[in-house]
Amino acid sequence: MAFPHRPDAPELPDFSMLKRLARDQLIYLLEQLPGKKDLFIEADLMSPLDRIANVSILKQHEVDKLYKVEKKPAFSSSEQLCFLVRPRIKNMRYIASLVNADKVAGRTRKYKVIFSPQKFYACEMVLEEEGVYGDVSCDEWAFSLLPLDVDLLSMELPEFFRDYFLEGDQRWINTLAQALHLLSTLYGPFPNCYGIGRCAKMSYELWKRLEEEEDGETKGRRPEIGHIFLLDRDMDFVTALCSQVVYEGLVDDTFRIKCGSVDFGPEVTSSDKSLKVLLNAEDKVFNEIRNEHFSNVFGFLSQKARNLQAQYDRRRGMDIKQMKNFVSQELKGLKQEHRLLSLHIGACESIMKKKTKQDFQELIKTEHALLEGFNIRESTNYIEEHIDRQVSPIESLRLMCLLSITENGLIPKDYRSLKTQYLQSYGPEHLLTFSNLRRAGLLTEQAPGDTLTAVESKVSKLVTDKAAGKITDAFSSLAKRSNFRAISKKLNLIPRVDGEYDLKVPRDMAYVFSGAYVPLSCRIIEQVLERRGWQGLDEVVRLLNCSELAFTDMTKDDKASSESLRLILVVFLGGCTFSEISALRFLGREKGYRFIFLTTAVTNSARLMEAMSEVKA
């Protein structure tokens, strides 16, 4: 049922060292302010901090009271204030207002600002403008890698996507390069590096420069991870825009997994209280269903419940000694498993209710039609109806973007019609959002000469591959487009299946989208690993508009063991989805690899749209 790892699968490195490093550095920074102090924490950092150093650890190091950095003024009686914040200008203004209020009241205190993950010059400039730069001491907490699971590291920087892919702001690239440098320092050099995308190339070059500056740190070390693959999110928007149907992805879409944990409300816990649950490999029930297609999960959970009941029933015929052993050794584990099982059954029921209400089957059918390029007119009508019924501004936007990318842009008539209906339905304040989506290439209008593209796929069926390539070239020269249809055909992203696709025994990565589509990002990774580089993928690279931005760097490393060469670190710049993680875990099981994921943040279609939206929910 679940995906057990192959017996010959390589062991994963121990990433708990990253947590210990971050905790030790934070304690060192707090102790630079000796004595009792109050700590002001930015909301974004609360969940990551809780995974690194909980309240009791902070209290041990003389943190007295904790405050949240927010708009309203805070009344602290402490003589020492410490601020743990992201490097944002609004935070600097908040700190400056507190310091200046103290000055007006004639009060002197010590102030320390700890920036995480790094300090930006603009922040110091704001403190200087506000006249408080001399009153505060500034430090950096270089905490940029949070292990969310045994094979998943997150930088917890959701703003990376908007900052880089919309605003073109490159400030986080240094943070990423430093994170990669830390990994190669701790776990040895990476003998084989691959990447595609502008951000990937810049990050890679900066990381290599850092390695050269500190030459010798990783020399002579045995590599623990044989391959690293850097991938820009804008190489594959389609996968991120699709509805997720693996269990972990659905839990994220429905309840929002934040920093590796989820808040299950009363409808799941069957009580009047909400419960925060950590979702990782330690949760035995979750670990067995996380990568499963949702249609298999109920059957698995009911079987699990029967097995659990059978284990409980064993106690009926026990004598005193056996009962004593049962209570001391097994009962606690069974109770824990029972609690987790009832939570996941509750979560499944809640997901089912919500999805039935949304008419999920019809939605999935429309998405599959868009991916395959069939019934485009009917799909457009479905999206129009979705907008007119005001189902959800984010969902309507997502479907429009999916239509645009799969069709290489909307024809002007459809673009104007959908945009007008959207603004009338959800309000004119969304106008700037359309501008953002166009700039990011998510929702575009075909140029006048571009309208031939609808014919392109039909023409390519009638001519040889070589001639089709030339036709595609001619079309591509008209504008920078997503070229999804051509890429899909080249990489066989839409599996041809005779009869029903068996979701119980999946045969390829397409199972994460009910057998309709293999995630493009995962297919690229699979092909590059198979070929040990980009040879033979020139056409795909050109269609991705990345002719200058695909790179391979392979060093002959005799120290690399066969174990390490089957470990692959995949770095997603701009976020990755749980569907992609599940697909690559499946690929790893099939090919004997183990994948490790490093992402700027875990994302999904709603987060992607919210990052582009100018209307804050």
Side-chain angles (χ1 to χ4, degrees):
M1 178 71 200
F3 295 169
H5 290 294
R6 289 159 60 130
D8 62 340
E11 281 294 305
L12 290 168
D14 176 17
F15 292 117
S16 62
M17 199 191 306
L18 294 167
K19 278 188 183 178
R20 290 199 298 276
L21 268 175
R23 186 186 305 128
D24 292 349
Q25 196 194 356
L26 179 64
I27 289 167
Y28 172 73
L29 292 170
L30 290 172
E31 286 183 347
Q32 285 183 347
L33 210 58
K36 285 202 165 189
K37 52 201 153 277
D38 284 354
L39 181 62
F40 288 74
I41 309 169
E42 188 171 357
D44 285 12
L45 283 166
M46 282 182 163
S47 295
L49 179 65
D50 198 37
R51 300 286 299 261
I52 295 296
N54 56 27
V55 175
S56 60
I57 290 173
L58 296 175
K59 295 277 183 196
Q60 283 166 27
H61 297 279
E62 299 190 282
V63 170
D64 188 20
K65 291 194 179 81
L66 295 171
Y67 295 91
K68 191 169 157 186
V69 171
E70 49 195 349
K71 286 190 181 111
K72 58 179 191 247
F75 302 101
S76 164
S77 56
S78 178
E79 290 309 302
Q80 303 193 105
L81 304 184
C82 189
F83 300 89
L84 182 58
V85 292
R86 291 270 189 233
R88 293 176 180 144
I89 285 168
K90 64 172 188 179
N91 291 335
M92 298 307 100
R93 302 230 188 272
Y94 173 83
I95 293 165
S97 69
L98 283 180
V99 177
N100 284 326
D102 280 353
K103 282 183 181 176
V104 170
R107 185 170 188 184
T108 40
R109 306 199 240 202
K110 278 189 179 172
Y111 310 95
K112 184 180 185 67
V113 183
I114 301 172
F115 293 98
S116 176
Q118 69 179 88
K119 178 170 65 180
F120 290 137
Y121 176 64
C123 294
E124 294 181 306
M125 285 294 292
V126 173
L127 292 174
E128 202 171 324
E129 276 170 24
E130 298 280 344
V132 298
Y133 187 60
D135 303 292
V136 300
S137 61
C138 296
D139 251 311
E140 275 184 353
W141 181 33
F143 165 49
S144 54
L145 290 171
L146 175 66
L148 294 180
D149 211 338
V150 288
D151 60 353
L152 175 60
L153 307 173
S154 173
M155 295 180 72
E156 289 302 304
L157 284 176
E159 60 262 54
F160 187 105
F161 176 70
R162 183 183 169 110
D163 285 352
Y164 182 82
F165 293 100
L166 178 64
E167 314 285 1
D169 185 339
Q170 297 167 9
R171 62 189 167 151
W172 297 116
I173 288 178
N174 180 47
T175 313
L176 182 75
Q178 296 278 6
L180 293 173
H181 179 52
L182 175 64
L183 285 176
S184 62
T185 307
L186 294 176
Y187 303 102
F190 300 99
N192 307 300
C193 302
Y194 318 98
I196 185 161
R198 179 165 274 108
C199 187
K201 195 166 188 187
M202 286 163 65
S203 306
Y204 174 75
E205 285 168 357
L206 183 54
W207 166 40
K208 284 296 153 194
R209 212 173 307 147
L210 288 173
E211 304 267 286
E212 284 159 21
E213 282 171 16
E214 294 181 32
D215 199 22
E217 271 201 27
T218 58
K219 277 214 172 109
R221 286 281 309 272
R222 270 184 84 107
E224 284 189 46
I225 301 167
H227 306 266
I228 181 170
F229 199 113
L230 288 88
L231 186 98
D232 279 15
R233 181 71 273 171
D234 66 352
M235 290 300 99
D236 175 20
F237 279 138
V238 171
T239 302
L241 288 170
C242 290
S243 295
Q244 305 193 76
V245 286
V246 288
Y247 180 66
E248 192 167 11
L250 264 171
V251 170
D252 188 35
D253 281 356
T254 313
F255 304 102
R256 287 278 169 117
I257 296 173
K258 189 181 176 190
C259 208
S261 59
V262 65
D263 278 318
F264 283 139
E267 75 280 6
V268 174
T269 58
S270 306
S271 67
D272 52 358
K273 288 198 287 284
S274 288
L275 189 64
K276 192 174 186 177
V277 181
L278 208 57
L279 296 178
N280 58 24
E282 285 172 18
D283 177 340
K284 295 288 184 284
V285 177
F286 174 70
N287 198 39
E288 291 191 67
I289 56 175
R290 67 191 314 178
N291 302 309
E292 286 292 335
H293 188 277
F294 191 64
S295 60
N296 302 335
V297 173
F298 261 128
F300 173 81
L301 291 175
S302 59
Q303 182 58 48
K304 191 91 178 158
R306 283 195 290 275
N307 295 349
L308 205 58
Q309 190 58 50
Q311 282 177 286
Y312 269 127
D313 291 344
R314 274 180 36 234
R315 71 185 190 276
R316 290 208 176 121
M318 289 180 179
D319 58 30
I320 298 287
K321 193 180 175 189
Q322 288 170 322
M323 183 63 84
K324 189 180 171 187
N325 282 343
F326 176 76
V327 170
S328 63
Q329 290 166 17
E330 291 178 52
L331 191 62
K332 194 179 173 190
L334 288 176
K335 280 189 168 173
Q336 170 72 345
E337 209 169 319
H338 183 265
R339 190 183 69 84
L340 293 169
L341 191 61
S342 64
L343 271 177
H344 290 296
I345 290 171
C348 283
E349 285 171 344
S350 186
I351 290 168
M352 286 286 284
K353 273 184 206 155
K354 282 177 183 161
K355 295 303 175 193
T356 310
K357 205 170 156 189
Q358 290 169 359
D359 202 358
F360 195 54
Q361 291 303 327
E362 195 61 35
L363 181 70
I364 294 288
K365 204 171 109 190
T366 303
E367 284 181 27
H368 291 178
L370 291 175
L371 292 167
E372 290 168 30
F374 296 134
N375 306 336
I376 297 305
R377 184 43 51 206
E378 283 163 40
S379 300
T380 310
N381 293 341
Y382 175 85
I383 297 169
E384 285 179 340
E385 190 188 321
H386 198 276
I387 293 167
D388 296 340
R389 281 171 40 222
Q390 296 181 330
V391 179
S392 149
I394 291 290
E395 277 285 283
S396 299
L397 218 46
R398 172 180 81 83
L399 290 168
M400 286 160 70
C401 291
L402 195 57
L403 173 65
S404 169
I405 293 174
T406 52
E407 287 300 292
N408 298 338
L410 300 176
I411 56 174
K413 181 167 76 76
D414 281 352
Y415 180 82
R416 283 195 296 274
S417 162
L418 286 167
K419 183 177 171 182
T420 305
Q421 286 180 67
Y422 188 92
L423 295 173
Q424 285 171 348
S425 242
Y426 297 117
E429 62 272 19
H430 292 274
L431 196 56
L432 285 171
T433 304
F434 279 87
S435 165
N436 290 347
L437 292 168
R438 184 190 280 252
R439 270 165 56 203
L442 278 159
L443 184 56
T444 56
E445 185 180 2
Q446 290 172 5
D450 231 7
T451 45
L452 293 156
T453 53
V455 184
E456 184 184 339
S457 55
K458 287 181 181 130
V459 173
S460 65
K461 284 179 189 139
L462 305 174
V463 291
T464 63
D465 268 2
K466 206 166 185 180
K470 284 178 183 165
I471 290 166
T472 308
D473 276 358
F475 286 123
S476 294
S477 64
L478 295 169
K480 180 184 181 296
R481 302 194 325 274
S482 69
N483 300 318
F484 177 75
R485 291 272 172 266
I487 295 166
S488 174
K489 199 174 172 202
K490 207 94 195 139
L491 292 174
N492 191 26
L493 299 183
I494 311 295
R496 294 280 159 256
V497 187
D498 301 323
E500 281 281 297
Y501 186 97
D502 188 357
L503 292 166
K504 279 196 167 60
V505 189
R507 50 188 201 164
D508 58 19
M509 293 185 283
Y511 91 92
V512 300
F513 292 115
S514 307
Y517 162 70
V518 177
L520 168 57
S521 52
C522 304
R523 180 70 98 204
I524 291 171
I525 292 163
E526 178 192 27
Q527 290 292 313
V528 171
L529 288 172
E530 253 175 42
R531 298 160 194 259
R532 302 300 295 271
W534 296 95
Q535 312 86 306
L537 293 171
D538 307 348
E539 179 66 7
V540 172
V541 169
R542 190 186 59 74
L543 288 166
L544 288 165
N545 306 300
C546 280
S547 301
E548 306 296 314
L549 303 172
F551 57 88
T552 309
D553 180 6
M554 299 169 84
T555 49
K556 186 82 186 83
D557 197 323
D558 302 326
K559 291 192 185 70
S561 63
S562 61
E563 280 272 292
S564 72
L565 289 171
R566 291 187 295 130
L567 275 178
I568 299 137
L569 174 67
V570 182
V571 185
F572 284 92
L573 299 107
C576 82
T577 65
F578 283 117
S579 296
E580 287 165 312
I581 291 173
S582 292
L584 287 173
R585 280 179 183 147
F586 174 85
L587 179 69
R589 191 190 63 149
E590 293 293 292
K591 307 267 184 187
Y593 300 136
R594 280 297 285 276
F595 284 96
I596 300 159
F597 307 94
L598 164 55
T599 177
T600 49
V602 174
T603 193
N604 60 20
S605 56
R607 289 191 190 99
L608 214 63
M609 293 294 99
E610 283 159 12
M612 290 288 151
S613 176
E614 289 297 329
V615 181
K616 296 296 164 239

